[in-house]
Coordinates of all heavy atoms in Angstrom, one line a residue:
M1 N 106.8 114.2 115.7 CA 107.5 113.5 114.8 C 106.8 113.6 113.4 O 105.6 113.5 113.4 CB 107.6 112.0 115.2 CG 108.2 111.2 114.2 SD 108.2 109.3 114.3 CE 107.9 109.0 116.0
K2 N 107.6 113.7 112.4 CA 107.0 113.7 111.0 C 107.4 112.4 110.4 O 108.5 111.9 110.5 CB 107.6 114.9 110.2 CG 107.1 116.2 110.7 CD 107.6 117.3 109.7 CE 107.1 118.6 110.2 NZ 107.6 119.7 109.4
V3 N 106.4 111.8 109.7 CA 106.7 110.6 109.0 C 106.4 110.8 107.5 O 105.4 111.4 107.1 CB 105.8 109.5 109.5 CG1 106.0 108.2 108.7 CG2 106.0 109.2 111.0
F4 N 107.3 110.3 106.6 CA 107.2 110.5 105.2 C 107.0 109.2 104.5 O 107.6 108.2 105.0 CB 108.4 111.3 104.6 CG 108.5 112.7 105.2 CD1 109.2 112.9 106.3 CD2 107.9 113.7 104.5 CE1 109.3 114.2 106.8 CE2 108.0 115.0 105.0 CZ 108.7 115.2 106.2
R5 N 106.3 109.1 103.5 CA 106.1 107.9 102.7 C 106.0 108.3 101.2 O 105.4 109.3 100.8 CB 104.8 107.3 103.1 CG 104.5 106.0 102.4 CD 103.1 105.4 102.9 NE 102.7 104.3 102.1 CZ 101.9 104.3 101.1 NH1 101.4 105.4 100.7 NH2 101.6 103.2 100.5
L6 N 106.7 107.5 100.4 CA 106.6 107.7 98.9 C 105.3 107.2 98.5 O 104.8 106.1 98.8 CB 107.7 107.0 98.2 CG 109.1 107.5 98.5 CD1 110.1 106.6 97.7 CD2 109.3 108.9 98.0
C7 N 104.6 108.0 97.6 CA 103.3 107.6 97.1 C 103.4 107.5 95.6 O 104.1 108.3 95.0 CB 102.2 108.6 97.5 SG 101.9 108.8 99.2
N8 N 102.6 106.6 95.0 CA 102.6 106.6 93.5 C 101.6 107.6 93.0 O 100.8 108.2 93.8 CB 102.3 105.1 93.0 CG 100.9 104.6 93.4 OD1 100.0 105.4 93.5 ND2 100.8 103.3 93.6
K9 N 101.5 107.8 91.7 CA 100.7 108.8 91.2 C 99.2 108.7 91.5 O 98.5 109.6 91.9 CB 100.8 108.8 89.7 CG 100.0 109.9 89.0 CD 100.2 109.8 87.4 CE 99.3 110.9 86.8 NZ 99.3 110.7 85.3
D10 N 98.7 107.4 91.5 CA 97.3 107.2 91.8 C 97.0 107.6 93.3 O 95.9 108.1 93.6 CB 96.9 105.7 91.6 CG 96.9 105.4 90.1 OD1 96.7 106.3 89.3 OD2 97.1 104.2 89.8
E11 N 97.9 107.2 94.2 CA 97.6 107.6 95.6 C 97.6 109.1 95.8 O 96.8 109.6 96.5 CB 98.7 107.0 96.5 CG 98.6 105.5 96.6 CD 99.7 104.9 97.5 OE1 100.9 105.4 97.4 OE2 99.4 104.0 98.2
V12 N 98.5 109.8 95.2 CA 98.6 111.3 95.3 C 97.3 111.9 94.7 O 96.7 112.8 95.4 CB 99.8 111.8 94.6 CG1 99.8 113.4 94.5 CG2 101.1 111.4 95.3
E13 N 96.8 111.4 93.6 CA 95.6 111.9 93.0 C 94.4 111.7 93.9 O 93.6 112.5 94.1 CB 95.4 111.3 91.6 CG 96.3 111.9 90.6 CD 96.2 111.2 89.2 OE1 95.3 110.3 89.1 OE2 96.9 111.6 88.3
N14 N 94.3 110.5 94.5 CA 93.2 110.2 95.4 C 93.3 111.1 96.7 O 92.2 111.6 97.1 CB 93.3 108.7 95.9 CG 92.7 107.8 94.9 OD1 91.8 108.1 94.2 ND2 93.3 106.6 94.9
I15 N 94.4 111.3 97.2 CA 94.6 112.2 98.4 C 94.1 113.7 98.0 O 93.4 114.3 98.7 CB 96.0 112.2 98.9 CG1 96.4 110.9 99.5 CG2 96.2 113.3 99.9 CD1 97.9 110.7 99.7
L16 N 94.6 114.2 96.9 CA 94.3 115.5 96.5 C 92.8 115.7 96.1 O 92.2 116.7 96.4 CB 95.2 116.0 95.3 CG 96.7 116.1 95.7 CD1 97.5 116.4 94.4 CD2 96.9 117.1 96.7
N17 N 92.3 114.7 95.4 CA 90.9 114.8 94.9 C 89.9 114.6 96.0 O 88.8 115.3 96.1 CB 90.6 113.7 93.8 CG 91.3 114.1 92.5 OD1 91.6 115.2 92.2 ND2 91.6 113.1 91.7
N18 N 90.2 113.7 97.0 CA 89.2 113.4 98.1 C 89.5 114.1 99.3 O 88.7 114.1 100.3 CB 89.2 111.9 98.3 CG 88.8 111.1 97.1 OD1 87.8 111.4 96.5 ND2 89.6 110.1 96.8
R19 N 90.7 114.7 99.4 CA 91.1 115.5 100.6 C 91.1 114.6 101.8 O 90.8 115.1 102.9 CB 90.3 116.7 100.8 CG 90.5 117.7 99.6 CD 89.8 119.0 99.8 NE 90.1 119.8 98.6 CZ 90.0 121.1 98.6 NH1 89.6 121.7 99.7 NH2 90.2 121.7 97.5
N20 N 91.4 113.3 101.7 CA 91.6 112.4 102.8 C 92.4 111.2 102.4 O 92.8 111.1 101.2 CB 90.2 112.0 103.4 CG 89.3 111.3 102.4 OD1 89.8 110.4 101.8 ND2 88.1 111.7 102.4
F21 N 92.6 110.3 103.3 CA 93.4 109.1 103.0 C 92.6 107.8 102.9 O 93.2 106.8 102.9 CB 94.5 109.0 104.1 CG 95.5 110.1 104.1 CD1 95.3 111.3 104.8 CD2 96.7 110.0 103.3 CE1 96.2 112.3 104.8 CE2 97.6 111.0 103.3 CZ 97.4 112.2 104.0
D22 N 91.3 108.0 102.8 CA 90.4 106.8 102.7 C 90.7 105.8 101.6 O 90.6 104.6 101.8 CB 89.0 107.2 102.6 CG 88.5 107.9 103.9 OD1 89.2 107.8 104.9 OD2 87.4 108.5 103.9
K23 N 91.2 106.3 100.5 CA 91.4 105.4 99.3 C 92.9 105.1 99.1 O 93.3 104.7 98.0 CB 90.8 106.1 98.0 CG 89.4 106.5 98.1 CD 88.5 105.6 97.5 CE 87.1 106.1 97.5 NZ 86.1 105.2 97.5
V24 N 93.7 105.3 100.1 CA 95.1 105.1 100.0 C 95.4 103.8 100.7 O 94.8 103.5 101.8 CB 95.9 106.3 100.6 CG1 97.4 106.0 100.5 CG2 95.5 107.6 99.9
G25 N 96.4 103.1 100.2 CA 96.8 101.8 100.9 C 96.1 100.7 100.2 O 95.5 100.8 99.1
H26 N 96.3 99.5 100.7 CA 95.6 98.3 100.1 C 95.4 97.2 101.2 O 96.0 97.3 102.3 CB 96.5 97.7 99.0 CG 97.8 97.3 99.4 ND1 98.9 98.1 99.6 CD2 98.3 96.0 99.7 CE1 99.9 97.4 100.0 NE2 99.6 96.1 100.0
E27 N 94.6 96.3 100.9 CA 94.3 95.2 101.8 C 95.5 94.3 101.8 O 96.2 94.1 100.8 CB 93.1 94.4 101.3 CG 91.8 95.1 101.6 CD 90.6 94.2 101.3 OE1 90.6 93.0 101.8 OE2 89.7 94.6 100.6
C28 N 95.8 93.8 103.0 CA 97.0 92.9 103.1 C 96.5 91.5 103.7 O 95.6 91.5 104.4 CB 98.0 93.5 104.1 SG 98.7 95.1 103.5
Q29 N 97.2 90.5 103.3 CA 97.0 89.2 103.8 C 98.1 88.8 104.8 O 99.3 89.2 104.6 CB 97.0 88.2 102.6 CG 96.0 88.5 101.6 CD 94.5 88.4 102.1 OE1 94.2 87.5 102.8 NE2 93.7 89.4 101.7
K30 N 97.8 88.0 105.8 CA 98.8 87.6 106.7 C 99.8 86.7 106.0 O 99.4 85.8 105.2 CB 98.1 86.8 107.8 CG 99.1 86.3 108.9 CD 98.4 85.6 110.0 CE 99.5 85.1 111.0 NZ 98.9 84.2 112.0
D31 N 101.1 87.0 106.2 CA 102.1 86.2 105.6 C 103.2 86.0 106.6 O 104.0 86.9 106.9 CB 102.7 86.9 104.3 CG 103.8 86.0 103.6 OD1 104.3 85.0 104.2 OD2 104.1 86.4 102.5
S32 N 103.2 84.9 107.3 CA 104.1 84.7 108.4 C 105.6 84.8 108.0 O 106.5 85.0 108.9 CB 103.8 83.4 109.2 OG 104.0 82.3 108.3
S33 N 105.9 84.7 106.8 CA 107.3 84.8 106.3 C 107.8 86.2 106.3 O 109.0 86.5 106.2 CB 107.5 84.1 104.9 OG 106.8 84.9 103.9
K34 N 106.8 87.2 106.3 CA 107.1 88.6 106.3 C 107.0 89.3 107.6 O 107.8 90.1 108.0 CB 106.2 89.3 105.2 CG 106.5 88.9 103.8 CD 105.6 89.6 102.8 CE 105.9 89.2 101.4 NZ 105.1 89.9 100.5
N35 N 105.9 89.0 108.3 CA 105.7 89.6 109.7 C 104.6 88.8 110.4 O 104.0 87.9 109.9 CB 105.3 91.1 109.5 CG 104.0 91.3 108.8 OD1 103.0 90.7 109.2 ND2 104.0 92.2 107.8
T36 N 104.3 89.3 111.6 CA 103.4 88.6 112.5 C 102.1 89.4 112.7 O 101.3 89.1 113.6 CB 104.0 88.2 113.8 OG1 104.4 89.5 114.5 CG2 105.2 87.3 113.7
H37 N 101.9 90.5 111.9 CA 100.8 91.4 112.1 C 99.5 90.6 111.8 O 99.4 89.9 110.8 CB 100.9 92.6 111.3 CG 99.8 93.6 111.6 ND1 99.8 94.4 112.7 CD2 98.7 93.9 110.9 CE1 98.7 95.2 112.7 NE2 98.0 94.9 111.6
Q38 N 98.4 90.8 112.5 CA 97.1 90.2 112.3 C 96.3 91.2 111.5 O 95.7 92.1 112.1 CB 96.4 89.8 113.6 CG 97.2 88.9 114.4 CD 97.3 87.5 113.8 OE1 96.3 87.0 113.2 NE2 98.4 86.9 113.9
Y39 N 96.2 91.1 110.2 CA 95.5 92.0 109.4 C 94.0 91.8 109.5 O 93.5 90.6 109.5 CB 95.9 91.9 107.9 CG 97.3 92.4 107.7 CD1 98.3 91.5 107.5 CD2 97.6 93.8 107.7 CE1 99.6 91.9 107.3 CE2 98.9 94.2 107.5 CZ 99.9 93.3 107.2 OH 101.2 93.7 107.0
S40 N 93.2 92.8 109.5 CA 91.7 92.7 109.5 C 91.2 92.7 108.1 O 91.7 93.4 107.2 CB 91.1 93.9 110.2 OG 91.5 93.9 111.6
P41 N 90.2 91.8 107.7 CA 89.7 91.8 106.4 C 89.0 93.1 106.0 O 88.5 93.8 106.9 CB 88.8 90.6 106.4 CG 88.5 90.3 107.8 CD 89.6 90.9 108.6
N42 N 89.0 93.5 104.8 CA 88.3 94.7 104.2 C 88.8 96.0 104.8 O 88.0 96.9 105.0 CB 86.8 94.5 104.4 CG 86.2 93.3 103.8 OD1 86.6 93.0 102.7 ND2 85.4 92.6 104.5
K43 N 90.1 96.0 105.2 CA 90.6 97.2 105.7 C 91.9 97.5 105.0 O 92.7 96.6 104.7 CB 91.0 97.0 107.2 CG 91.5 98.3 107.9 CD 91.6 98.1 109.4 CE 92.1 99.3 110.1 NZ 92.3 99.2 111.5
N44 N 92.1 98.8 104.6 CA 93.3 99.2 103.9 C 94.4 99.5 104.9 O 94.2 100.1 105.9 CB 93.1 100.4 103.0 CG 92.3 100.1 101.8 OD1 92.1 99.0 101.5 ND2 91.8 101.1 101.1
Y45 N 95.7 99.2 104.5 CA 96.8 99.4 105.3 C 97.9 100.1 104.5 O 98.0 99.9 103.3 CB 97.4 98.1 105.8 CG 96.6 97.4 106.8 CD1 95.6 96.5 106.4 CD2 96.7 97.6 108.2 CE1 94.8 95.8 107.3 CE2 95.9 97.0 109.1 CZ 95.0 96.1 108.7 OH 94.2 95.4 109.6
M46 N 98.6 101.0 105.1 CA 99.7 101.7 104.5 C 101.0 101.3 105.2 O 101.0 101.4 106.5 CB 99.6 103.2 104.6 CG 98.5 103.8 103.7 SD 98.6 105.6 103.6 CE 97.9 106.0 105.2
H47 N 102.0 100.9 104.5 CA 103.3 100.5 105.1 C 104.3 101.6 104.9 O 104.3 102.2 103.8 CB 103.8 99.2 104.6 CG 103.0 98.0 105.0 ND1 102.2 97.3 104.2 CD2 102.8 97.5 106.3 CE1 101.6 96.4 104.9 NE2 101.9 96.5 106.1
F48 N 105.1 101.9 105.9 CA 106.0 103.0 105.7 C 107.4 102.5 105.8 O 107.7 101.4 106.3 CB 105.9 104.0 106.9 CG 104.6 104.8 106.9 CD1 103.4 104.3 107.3 CD2 104.6 106.1 106.3 CE1 102.3 105.0 107.3 CE2 103.5 106.8 106.2 CZ 102.3 106.3 106.7

């Protein structure tokens, strides 16, 4: 299966410059009005 995600310019530049996805995404806070996922602190997440 192939999964596609739209990236902004900064994300694309980070991927191309670092040749990995370490600097892509952002930290998320638990918000029960949006979902029930238990986010870990200091970890980046990408939503598709």
